[in-house]
Amino acid sequence: MSRYRKYDGGDPLAPPVDLAEALDAIGEDVMAGYSPERAMREFLRRGGKDQLGLDDLARRIAEKRRDLLQRHHLDGTMQQVRELLDKAVLAERGQLARDVVMEDGDRTFRELQLDALPESTAAAVAELAAYDWTSPEAREAYEEIKDLLGRELLDQRFAGMKEAMAGATDEDRAAINEMLRDLNDLLEKHARGEDTDEDFAEFMDRHGDFFPEDPTNIDELMDTLAERSAAAQRMLNSMTPEQRAELMALSQQAFGSPELMEQLARMDANLQSLRPDLDWDGSEGFDGEQGLGLGDGTGVFQDLAELDALGDQLSQSYGGARMDSDMSWVDLDALARQLGDQAAVDARTLSELEKALRDSGYLQRGSDGELRLSPKAMRQLGKALLRDVATRMSGRQGQRESRNAGSAGELSGASRAWEYGDTEPWDVTRTITNAVLRSAGDGRTRPLRLRVEDIEVQETEERTQAAVALLVDTSFSMAMDGRWVPMKRTALALHQLIRSRFRGDHLQLIGFGRHAQVMEIEELTGLDARWDKGTNLHHGLLLANRHFRRHPSAQPVLLIVTDGEPTSHLEPDGEVSFSYPPHPLTIANTVRELDNSRRIGAQTTFFRLGDDPGLARFIESMARRVEGRMVSPELDDLGAAVVGSYLGDRSASTYREHFGGWGGDRGFWVG
């Protein structure tokens, strides 16, 4: 048998989720010190440029909850009863005044009864229960009070019953009372463990029309009834003591008999004992102007409970919550009911985005079970950062990004599509092949004609190699002053450039704080800021010179990013010596090792971060000593400055061909 339901999957023609924006944001947070798992969660919470996040949905949930409380109050049914009572009394007074055949004594007695009605609405309704109305209009208004109370009380426990029982006959009311008696008998039998499936089936056969939810077993029936009953109890708890007393007194007049209220109270007690985990004791504060009837008010309390549950789910307050592919941890139907279908689609898209991130290979678990950015993710992040660097550099020089694999003109064996301005030789074989393949598709025989899109050119590669040491300051001041992430972005961009465009070069990343260490790119990008006193440039230069000596045939390139003077050095026994202000011995050791870099032939560039004049003078003197350079970029331009310096130091022709130099109003060269 085929079953159908409303499609709730969003636009079937919508493009697949875009991982690029998510990966960029996750990478940025990882470089700021977040774990990949937390970074992914933060992106899902914030959302993207065109994608709502969990926080947006949670904010809308909170706004709707606040609106319900600020818009309504709980006196709706009492107001309706008071209006009907006033209508009945006014109509009766008018009839008494117009009735010329009524004896004066009888008229006076009736008027005294109406004048003596108590202020309490409930007490007045009870006192008029035995009153012999002379006005048909008054009698109808009073009977409407009893009918309204009965329908509202039923609507509190059975949604939609108020409308269903409009104009109900005595037989309809008797059927309601019979259903409630049978329901209570079934619930009490279930509580004793004596019920059977046949008992439930028999009950549904007799009274199934009262339950449009069509429960399939007694547990589903109890869940539906208990949620509504608990909401009705919370509504009662939220009333003032006077309102509760009035309502309980009025309830005895429902359908003109206390039997309905007695059966409902029995049902509430049964449900509370069977579902004690529900919130039966909660309350809310309403301060609006729109009155709520008992049925509508109970529905609002159900909405509030549903909104609270959604808020918990969207905030992932449950320990270890994870967005599964089927969104099993969040109620999408409830989300659609409260915020509309699009909200459910947005939540499902976030789930698909997380699943795509996990399945794409961008995130992988290490041996310790923690998520890490995979090499594939690092390459993608590096490409994005390198594009940003190229845009900044070419934007300053008014040039396009070069696509040469190298600059010395040696063919690499690879080819690529021709672009305007390319001067490389054509790859004739690939060009003719492209034209033939294009022409073969139309099925006509005619002379072969070349088009621009057919042309491919041969790539060249750089013949010279470079040994590059990028020394990055990892002291705590880098994190304190907001330089931590730009430093990591710079390292990742340079790493991507060398690994993808200058694969013959040898790059070593060295972080120096209290001591220095060689780092893989994954280790550096995931490095947390630590409160660790010391800027040990001396140790960093020792490691850099060791790297240069391992590649004696390569051109040494030394790039140093720092925001402070050296404050520590290595002693001969390997211990770290720290002193602030810098000790002369620390300066002497650092200068000596920098001189060793110069003797090896290293082309040195310092990148000074910050505006300390003393630091500027110190680094400038260091750069002049080794015939190097100092650049003072703003943080946004740090990556462009380092990459530009690498290309310039590697080969003057490469530098000019790729980016034409580094300059502009934000950076300056000294050397």
Side-chain angles (χ1 to χ4, degrees):
M1 181 179 67
S2 298
R3 302 186 68 177
Y4 300 90
R5 63 181 177 84
K6 180 182 177 182
Y7 173 72
D8 59 358
D11 183 0
L13 301 180
V17 292
D18 180 15
L19 296 182
E21 182 184 13
L23 186 60
D24 288 346
I26 291 172
E28 192 83 4
D29 283 345
V30 167
M31 288 187 282
Y34 287 12
S35 69
E37 182 83 33
R38 181 183 175 190
M40 179 173 64
R41 295 253 172 244
E42 287 300 313
F43 178 77
L44 295 175
R45 298 186 67 77
R46 293 192 305 262
K49 180 180 178 182
D50 299 314
Q51 169 65 50
L52 288 181
L54 295 176
D55 280 348
D56 295 306
L57 296 174
R59 173 183 51 77
R60 292 177 58 192
I61 289 289
E63 287 175 352
K64 181 170 183 181
R65 192 186 199 288
R66 185 168 56 251
D67 176 68
L68 287 174
L69 295 176
Q70 293 178 349
R71 191 193 324 159
H72 299 295
H73 65 79
L74 301 180
D75 279 342
T77 297
M78 295 297 295
Q79 285 181 341
Q80 286 183 278
V81 171
R82 169 56 70 181
E83 290 171 1
L84 288 171
L85 180 64
D86 290 344
K87 178 181 178 181
V89 171
L90 182 62
E92 180 69 6
R93 289 185 185 279
Q95 180 64 30
L96 292 176
R98 292 190 300 271
D99 193 342
V100 295
V101 299
M102 180 179 293
E103 294 182 3
D104 291 342
D106 188 18
R107 178 184 294 105
T108 301
F109 178 72
R110 290 174 178 276
E111 288 176 345
L112 288 174
Q113 282 184 288
L114 297 178
D115 291 340
L117 287 175
E119 290 293 326
S120 166
T121 301
V125 171
E127 190 161 324
L128 290 172
Y131 182 80
D132 183 17
W133 300 92
T134 60
S135 165
E137 181 183 357
R139 183 184 301 277
E140 181 181 351
Y142 183 78
E143 292 298 324
E144 191 175 344
I145 291 175
K146 296 187 290 184
D147 182 69
L148 172 67
L149 290 170
R151 290 188 294 121
E152 286 282 12
L153 288 171
L154 285 173
D155 204 40
Q156 268 196 308
R157 277 73 171 186
F158 306 92
M161 192 66 77
K162 180 179 179 181
E163 289 76 19
M165 291 296 291
T169 63
D170 290 340
E171 289 76 13
D172 295 328
R173 300 185 185 97
I176 285 287
N177 286 326
E178 181 183 6
M179 181 273 291
L180 289 173
R181 284 192 297 271
D182 291 346
L183 174 61
N184 281 315
D185 290 342
L186 178 63
L187 294 176
E188 290 162 2
K189 195 173 184 180
H190 180 76
R192 297 191 301 269
E194 300 173 358
D195 65 314
T196 64
D197 293 340
E198 289 74 17
D199 292 332
F200 173 76
E202 181 182 352
F203 175 82
M204 291 302 295
D205 286 340
R206 297 184 61 185
H207 306 297
D209 291 343
F210 290 105
F211 304 95
E213 302 88 358
D214 193 22
T216 59
N217 54 56
I218 191 170
D219 287 316
E220 291 184 6
L221 175 65
M222 289 191 300
D223 288 341
T224 300
L225 292 174
E227 287 177 5
R228 186 94 179 162
S229 180
Q233 183 60 49
R234 292 194 301 275
M235 181 177 182
L236 190 64
N237 299 342
S238 302
M239 295 179 178
T240 65
E242 293 77 14
Q243 289 174 322
R244 280 196 296 273
E246 287 276 287
L247 181 61
M248 297 308 295
L250 280 173
S251 299
Q252 302 301 315
Q253 302 299 320
F255 289 153
S257 167
E259 182 180 2
L260 175 64
M261 192 58 203
E262 291 171 359
Q263 290 297 333
L264 290 176
R266 180 185 169 196
M267 184 187 76
D268 290 341
N270 287 328
L271 291 171
Q272 186 167 358
S273 67
L274 290 166
R275 291 290 185 269
D277 55 305
L278 296 179
D279 182 10
W280 298 89
D281 301 319
S283 62
E284 300 287 351
F286 289 80
D287 55 4
E289 298 181 357
Q290 182 177 331
L292 286 172
L294 297 180
D296 291 340
T298 300
V300 167
F301 273 85
Q302 280 190 297
D303 285 342
L304 291 172
E306 197 165 69
L307 290 168
D308 288 342
L310 286 171
D312 288 340
Q313 294 162 12
L314 291 173
S315 65
Q316 302 183 39
S317 61
Y318 303 116
R322 170 175 168 173
M323 297 183 71
D324 297 319
S325 59
D326 61 355
M327 292 294 289
S328 58
W329 64 276
V330 65
D331 190 339
L332 291 179
D333 291 336
L335 195 61
R337 281 194 298 271
Q338 298 299 335
L339 299 184
D341 292 338
Q342 185 58 45
V345 172
D346 289 333
R348 191 186 300 277
T349 301
L350 289 172
S351 171
E352 293 170 354
L353 180 62
E354 184 194 32
K355 184 175 185 300
L357 282 169
R358 294 183 186 274
D359 295 346
S360 65
Y362 288 138
L363 301 173
Q364 57 185 208
R365 292 199 180 274
S367 58
D368 58 358
E370 294 295 323
L371 276 182
R372 290 184 173 85
L373 293 179
S374 67
K376 178 181 178 182
M378 299 301 294
R379 288 194 297 272
Q380 289 298 113
L381 286 173
K383 288 178 183 178
L385 294 174
L386 192 55
R387 282 194 299 270
D388 179 64
V389 166
T391 299
R392 288 180 177 277
M393 296 180 69
S394 61
R396 293 187 179 281
Q397 303 304 322
Q399 298 176 0
R400 65 180 178 86
E401 178 190 1
S402 169
R403 298 182 59 191
N404 287 346
S407 64
E410 182 175 303
L411 299 180
S412 67
S415 64
R416 58 176 172 80
W418 175 88
E419 288 188 355
Y420 178 77
D422 283 340
T423 59
E424 292 79 9
W426 284 19
D427 186 328
V428 177
T429 302
R430 290 294 306 164
T431 299
I432 297 299
T433 300
N434 291 339
V436 170
L437 292 175
R438 175 180 50 77
S439 302
D442 58 19
R444 291 182 292 176
T445 302
R446 58 184 179 183
L448 187 65
R449 296 181 181 275
L450 294 180
R451 294 182 180 175
V452 171
E453 59 265 28
D454 298 327
I455 302 172
E456 292 198 18
V457 296
Q458 297 176 348
E459 287 192 330
T460 61
E461 64 181 6
E462 176 64 50
R463 286 192 294 253
T464 60
Q465 291 183 334
V468 185
L470 175 62
L471 278 64
V472 291
D473 190 341
T474 58
S475 61
F476 195 69
S477 61
M478 291 283 286
M480 287 286 290
D481 295 329
R483 298 161 186 152
W484 197 251
V485 172
M487 173 270 289
K488 293 182 178 182
R489 290 169 61 91
T490 297
L492 186 53
L494 181 62
H495 178 273
Q496 177 63 26
L497 175 64
I498 292 176
R499 289 293 181 265
S500 62
R501 304 282 285 276
F502 298 98
R503 290 182 286 271
D505 285 359
H506 309 283
L507 172 65
Q508 187 165 86
L509 302 173
I510 301 171
F512 62 97
R514 185 176 182 84
H515 65 277
Q517 65 181 107
V518 176
M519 294 182 172
E520 296 297 326
I521 187 62
E522 295 83 5
E523 184 181 5
L524 178 59
T525 53
L527 182 67
D528 287 335
R530 295 188 295 266
W531 176 253
D532 199 10
K533 293 181 180 180
T535 303
N536 200 333
L537 180 56
H538 170 238
H539 191 186
L541 290 170
L542 284 170
L543 296 176
N545 290 337
R546 185 176 66 181
H547 174 61
F548 296 149
R549 293 187 183 101
R550 285 175 178 170
H551 305 282
S553 62
Q555 168 63 51
V557 177
L558 179 60
L559 307 171
I560 303 170
V561 178
T562 185
D563 69 346
E565 300 173 77
T567 56
S568 61
H569 67 275
L570 282 186
E571 296 286 1
D573 60 0
E575 292 296 319
V576 173
S577 174
F578 168 78
S579 175
Y580 184 83
H583 193 278
L585 189 57
T586 298
I587 301 299
N589 280 316
T590 303
V591 170
R592 184 177 66 250
E593 205 56 41
L594 189 62
D595 288 343
N596 289 337
S597 299
R598 180 188 181 189
R599 280 190 287 272
I600 293 172
Q603 297 175 351
T604 303
T605 305
F606 287 89
F607 300 90
R608 177 179 64 84
L609 304 179
D611 301 320
D612 182 1
L615 175 64
R617 289 191 296 269
F618 174 78
I619 292 182
E620 185 174 352
S621 66
M622 296 269 282
R624 286 174 176 164
R625 180 183 182 89
V626 294
E627 298 180 355
R629 298 183 295 269
M630 179 182 78
V631 65
S632 302
E634 292 190 2
L635 284 179
D636 289 345
D637 289 330
L638 178 60
V642 171
V643 168
S645 180
Y646 158 71
L647 293 172
D649 288 340
R650 189 181 190 284
S651 164
S653 61
T654 299
Y655 183 46
R656 287 192 299 270
E657 185 177 333
H658 276 262
F659 296 108
W662 169 258
D665 57 350
R666 291 193 179 187
F668 59 91
W669 292 104
V670 178

